[in-house]
Structure formats: structure tokens, C-alpha cells
Amino acid sequence: MSTKMVVQQPKPVVMTAGLDEWSSSICECDSLNECCFSVWCFPCFACITARDHGECLCLPLLDSFGFIPPITLSMRVSMRRRYGITDTICNDCVYACCCGPCSWCQMRREMKARLHPVTLFCNKAN
């Protein structure tokens, strides 16, 4: 009875976005649960995302005042500065005004991509 021993396993290929770009587009949906949660219970989703970003839990509730949602806009700018993402304030305004839930989903995905890196361990057999 012979056994084969694996000497070398193929290494995983990891594709990442440039460090100065958003890791996902505004309309991308990697988690159906989060996308549905942001659409059906948007205030709760925005508050949880703000809390996880280190802001006051109820801060997004102030977005109802004004034409341009100030908290969504400021959160996008804060996230871009924290992670070194190059984008324009004009894009932030458009996304905050026209695509509120999608904008918050993109910020949530960015936090997951930047704060929860995947660590791969390789166990070598002797």
C-alpha cells in the first residue's frame, strides 16, 4: 500500500483593488442580507455602520435635515480620508443624494475589506 505525499500545494491568487480606490463599486452586492437590510431598514443599517466606523450610533438620523444628506456625505469623506481613497467631493455628493442605501452599503463593504483582512496559514508537513 503506497501513499502519496503532497510536497507543495498551489498558492492562492489574491486580487485586491488599488490601495487608493474603493474596493467595490457603488452598486455591487456581495451580501444579499446586507443589501436587503439597507433597503428595508435603512436607518438601522446606517446607524450600525456609523457605530462600527467609530461614530455616534444615532448620527445618521440627522440626515433627514437638508437637501444633501450631511452625515452620509461626511461619512464618505471620513472613510476616504481614513483609507486613503482618492475620489471627489462631487461624487460623494451625488452618491449621498441619489444613492443613499447603496452608498452606505459601499462604505460597509469597504470597512469589511479594510478591517477584516483574510489571513491564510500554510501548514508544512515534515
Side-chain angles (χ1 to χ4, degrees):
M1 200 154 94
S2 67
T3 60
K4 282 189 171 181
M5 187 168 127
V6 176
V7 178
Q8 184 177 9
Q9 294 181 351
K11 299 199 186 292
V13 176
V14 178
M15 302 280 293
T16 59
L19 293 177
D20 62 343
E21 298 174 359
W22 290 97
S23 64
S24 62
S25 69
I26 191 76
C27 293
E28 194 171 317
C29 180
D30 65 341
S31 170
L32 188 59
N33 291 337
E34 284 189 356
C35 290
C36 289
F37 183 36
S38 72
V39 170
W40 296 111
C41 193
F42 177 63
C44 295
F45 182 81
C47 289
I48 290 169
T49 303
R51 181 200 60 200
D52 291 347
H53 187 63
E55 299 296 335
C56 176
L57 174 68
C58 298
L59 192 62
L61 299 177
L62 297 174
D63 261 353
S64 59
F65 303 107
F67 178 68
I68 297 174
I71 305 306
T72 303
L73 179 63
S74 62
M75 283 287 293
R76 285 188 65 84
V77 171
S78 170
M79 195 160 292
R80 284 194 303 109
R81 287 183 177 234
R82 178 179 288 182
Y83 299 131
I85 299 170
T86 56
D87 206 348
T88 63
I89 191 76
C90 184
N91 284 344
D92 293 334
C93 285
V94 169
Y95 294 147
C97 290
C98 301
C99 311
C102 293
S103 180
W104 281 94
C105 279
Q106 183 185 33
M107 290 188 284
R108 185 78 181 169
R109 287 189 304 270
E110 195 65 32
M111 287 179 6
K112 283 184 175 181
R114 305 278 179 146
L115 296 177
H116 301 291
V118 176
T119 305
L120 301 173
F121 294 98
C122 180
N123 293 331
K124 292 185 179 182
N126 291 336

